[in-house]
Amino acid sequence: LGPGFVRVRGESMGGAGMHDGDLLVVDRALEAGDGDLVVAAGEGGLDLKRLHKRNGQARLLPENPCRHPVPFDDDPSLTVWGVVTGVVHRFRRAGSP
C-alpha cells in the first residue's frame, strides 16, 4: 500500500488544523499508534479522527468540541484505513477572485 490522498469534508478536525477541502497525505502502510491522526473506514465511509488508546481500549476523538468521540472497539465494522502524515491547505478556493 503506502501513501495516498484523501480530501477532507467537514470541520470535525478543525482544532488540528485540518479544514473542509484540505488534502490529506495518508500512509496506509503505517501502524497507527496512540495520538496519531487516522482515517478510519466504517459502514458510513471514511472518518478523520485522532486515535486514543488507553487501558486496552481505543476511541476515535474529534478535534471539534461539538462532535462526539467514537468508541473504536465497540464497532467491528471500523478499521484504521491509514495514518495521516501531512496536509495540504488551500489559501484560496478554486474559482475565487
Side-chain angles (χ1 to χ4, degrees):
L1 298 177
F5 300 96
V6 174
R7 179 94 42 205
V8 175
R9 295 285 175 238
E11 292 290 338
S12 74
M13 296 303 288
M18 294 174 206
H19 304 283
D20 190 57
D22 285 351
L23 189 63
L24 303 177
V25 180
V26 181
D27 194 332
R28 296 191 62 203
L30 293 177
E31 184 174 336
D34 182 49
D36 282 342
L37 292 169
V38 300
V39 175
E43 290 180 11
L46 298 178
D47 200 6
L48 173 63
K49 298 285 185 277
R50 187 170 302 277
L51 182 63
H52 181 263
K53 294 182 177 181
R54 292 288 187 272
N55 303 320
Q57 300 289 316
R59 295 186 306 161
L60 298 173
L61 304 178
E63 297 272 341
N64 180 330
C66 297
R67 306 291 174 129
H68 299 287
V70 176
F72 188 76
D73 296 326
D74 293 346
D75 188 345
S77 70
L78 275 177
T79 59
V80 172
W81 188 80
V83 177
V84 177
T85 58
V87 61
V88 178
H89 297 285
R90 280 187 159 157
F91 292 112
R92 206 169 172 186
R93 298 287 179 214
S96 61

